[in-house]
Amino acid sequence: MTCIVGLVNNGSVHIGGDSAASSGHSLTIRADRKVFRKQDFIFGFTTSFRMGQLLAHSFEPPERHAKTDVFAFMVTEFVNALRRCLQDGGFAQRHNEAERGGTFLVGYAGRLFKITSDYQVGESVDDLDACGCGEEIALGALFASRNSPPHERLTIALKAAERFSTGVRGPFHFETLEPTE
């Protein structure tokens, strides 16, 4: 299920996502959104609506101290708080002694990060990323539309994923995190 797309443009972070929930050959268009804002962060999730519900309604992102590097903050304090939230909410699972969460994009401090199920924090040098079953299609569309405005690029990517992936459906939802300075 899902296509979540994000990009950074002139210090703003933009994330868009679809509304599909799929399981096998079944598809439901959900009313609850996969893309949302929380404090100084914007999120777009895949993997599980339960994980997204915890991110939206239970997760309390920690505050970053001004002298702490943004990437270091995401890898340590942010992920540690995320793990506690997912554990407390009954979502984190253990497989072969390794803890697993889920995958989502998060915009913070003018940057776009991809958190994967092993809690790895990734940041693309291309200032764009995607996740979900429509990921590859969306990445190609984002790359090909690099001269278009941000919202248009996200829409093009989501429409391409909807057209060529069985697990992606509108309506599409968007959030923008403007620069803080």
Side-chain angles (χ1 to χ4, degrees):
M1 75 169 191
T2 302
C3 186
I4 303 295
V5 293
L7 60 87
V8 178
N9 182 46
N10 295 326
S12 295
V13 184
H14 308 266
I15 294 180
D18 76 321
S19 297
S22 59
S23 177
H25 295 291
S26 297
L27 180 94
T28 301
I29 304 302
R30 296 282 296 243
D32 46 338
R33 295 179 178 205
K34 299 177 195 177
V35 175
F36 57 90
R37 175 183 307 273
K38 183 146 190 169
Q39 299 171 13
D40 297 331
F41 298 82
I42 56 174
F43 294 85
F45 69 88
T46 185
T47 307
S48 165
F49 274 90
R50 176 63 180 154
M51 181 191 71
Q53 292 164 351
L54 290 170
L55 288 172
H57 303 291
S58 180
F59 181 55
E60 292 298 328
E63 287 192 33
R64 178 177 61 92
H65 299 288
K67 293 183 179 182
T68 303
D69 174 76
V70 173
F71 189 78
F73 164 77
M74 293 299 292
V75 169
T76 57
E77 295 173 57
F78 181 90
V79 165
N80 290 339
L82 170 68
R83 288 183 61 220
R84 283 190 299 274
C85 173
L86 297 182
Q87 290 166 355
D88 291 347
F91 181 75
Q93 299 177 4
R94 295 194 68 78
H95 298 284
N96 298 326
E97 301 306 313
E99 183 181 318
R100 308 292 286 180
T103 301
F104 61 93
L105 298 183
V106 58
Y108 173 69
R111 294 166 71 178
L112 179 67
F113 302 97
K114 184 177 190 176
I115 312 298
T116 58
S117 62
D118 65 353
Y119 302 106
Q120 174 198 143
V121 177
E123 185 176 22
S124 171
V125 298
D126 294 312
D127 282 337
L128 57 87
D129 216 330
C131 57
C133 65
E135 177 178 345
E136 291 85 5
I137 298 161
L139 286 172
L142 286 172
F143 179 81
S145 65
R146 64 185 169 271
N147 295 323
S148 298
H151 188 272
E152 185 177 323
R153 291 179 72 194
L154 296 180
T155 302
I156 290 168
L158 289 168
K159 284 184 176 181
E162 181 181 45
R163 173 73 173 140
F164 296 106
S165 176
T166 59
V168 180
R169 293 292 182 279
F172 304 129
H173 302 285
F174 305 90
E175 286 287 345
T176 296
L177 188 63
E178 298 295 344
T180 55
E181 297 174 9

